Amino acid sequence: MTALRNPLKSNLAEGRLQVGLWCSLGSAVVTEVLAGAGYDWLLVDGEHSPNDLLSIIDQHRAASAYETEVVVRMRSHDPDAVKQFMDSGIRSFLFPFVQTAEQAQALVRATRYPPHGIRGYSVSQRANRYGRVKGYHPLAHEECFVAVQIESGTAAQAAADIAAIEGVDAVFIGPSDLSADLGALGNPHDDGVQKTIRSVLELGRDGRTVTGVLAPLEEDARRYIDWGARFVAVGSDLGLLTRHGDALAARFRALDIARPASV
């Protein structure tokens, strides 16, 4: 199992800051480029982006030449989908909209073989290098990383109980959905939303709980880290492309050099 060690899981367990980036474009080339940038982890979004199992496998394969860990955000809590993704080699997950400790426990069970869970048994798949990794099945859960998203006021109130479930490796704030649920749609900087975010992130100060957040603005990311976050996404492929693409175009449009008059 040494070759399959999950550095994201072990580094977070040791209290180390792990900085990541969101991948939303569905491109293995883009994900491969970003995997070489030095992020600790890349989130491949299967919920709000045009990704499916095959495109995610391609991105996972493209990133595998680098040390960055690929985390997949699932589109649902479907245990059959979890099984298929795990058999395909995905071992790190972010599950959306987890409201209760019971839901979190069910998701953990979906990532474990019996007797600890309900994951179906397949002798040979990409996850165990097509049968070449001996002893994979009884130890697979040790390298599986499960993070759950806190995206509502109800979930924020239950965050400590959710984080306490054995097998939940991190609780992760989704600021956009949280702000919508708290009546501040599109405004995660609302005072009430920020207070709720802080209440969850500060759970990480106990030395046992790992908290995380998506923070595309650098000042937000630094503040959230100060509040206790250790599992932090600091941008996205889409954001990098639009922001820098727009800025480059604007700089050259600003020159506004008139063409010479024709003679």
Side-chain angles (χ1 to χ4, degrees):
M1 292 297 292
T2 302
L4 298 183
R5 176 182 170 273
N6 188 334
L8 174 65
K9 180 169 182 169
S10 58
N11 287 338
L12 285 172
E14 293 172 4
R16 299 179 184 175
L17 174 65
Q18 298 290 278
V19 174
L21 196 81
W22 228 249
C23 293
S24 303
L25 296 177
S27 167
V29 174
V30 171
T31 299
E32 183 177 24
V33 170
L34 293 171
Y39 295 100
D40 298 302
W41 57 282
L42 297 176
L43 187 290
V44 179
D45 188 8
E47 184 186 16
H48 288 296
S49 301
N51 278 308
D52 59 16
L53 177 61
L54 289 177
S55 70
I56 289 173
I57 291 173
D58 284 344
Q59 291 173 77
H60 187 265
R61 185 179 291 117
S64 65
Y66 301 91
E67 294 183 1
T68 188
E69 177 72 12
V70 172
V71 181
V72 172
R73 177 161 72 168
M74 300 294 287
R75 69 183 61 184
S76 73
H77 298 180
D78 180 2
D80 288 332
V82 175
K83 172 178 61 179
Q84 191 176 30
F85 274 78
M86 293 199 76
D87 285 352
S88 299
I90 305 304
R91 61 184 179 180
S92 296
F93 294 92
L94 178 62
F95 291 102
F97 207 71
V98 174
Q99 295 277 78
T100 67
E102 289 75 19
Q103 285 181 325
Q105 189 169 50
L107 290 168
V108 171
R109 286 181 54 78
T111 67
R112 268 64 172 166
Y113 289 114
H116 306 295
I118 60 171
R119 181 183 174 187
Y121 187 96
S122 175
V123 173
S124 176
Q125 359 82 10
R126 184 170 181 261
N128 69 349
R129 298 181 180 175
Y130 306 102
R132 296 185 178 97
V133 177
K134 305 306 178 185
Y136 165 81
H137 296 86
L139 299 177
H141 66 279
E142 294 183 0
E143 303 302 329
C144 178
F145 176 80
V146 175
V148 298
Q149 279 197 264
I150 304 298
E151 301 183 271
S152 71
T154 298
Q157 291 178 357
D161 292 335
I162 292 171
I165 295 297
E166 185 176 358
V168 171
D169 296 294
V171 292
F172 189 92
I173 290 282
S176 295
D177 281 308
L178 179 62
S179 64
D181 184 74
L182 295 178
L185 180 66
N187 184 19
H189 295 103
D190 172 82
D191 288 345
V193 177
Q194 286 290 297
K195 182 178 179 181
T196 302
I197 290 174
R198 184 168 188 167
S199 72
V200 175
L201 296 183
E202 287 187 339
L203 295 173
R205 296 194 181 281
D206 66 7
R208 300 183 304 275
T209 303
V210 175
T211 61
V213 65
L214 172 60
L217 298 179
E218 184 173 344
E219 58 267 33
D220 289 344
R222 291 182 179 275
R223 182 173 66 259
Y224 296 151
I225 291 168
D226 286 342
W227 288 352
R230 291 294 176 267
F231 177 42
V232 183
V234 296
S236 70
D237 54 1
L238 178 59
L240 291 172
L241 183 62
T242 56
R243 183 167 62 255
H244 292 285
D246 290 355
L248 180 62
R251 288 198 297 275
F252 280 90
R253 284 202 192 101
L255 296 178
D256 195 22
I257 300 174
R259 293 181 180 178
S262 58
V263 178

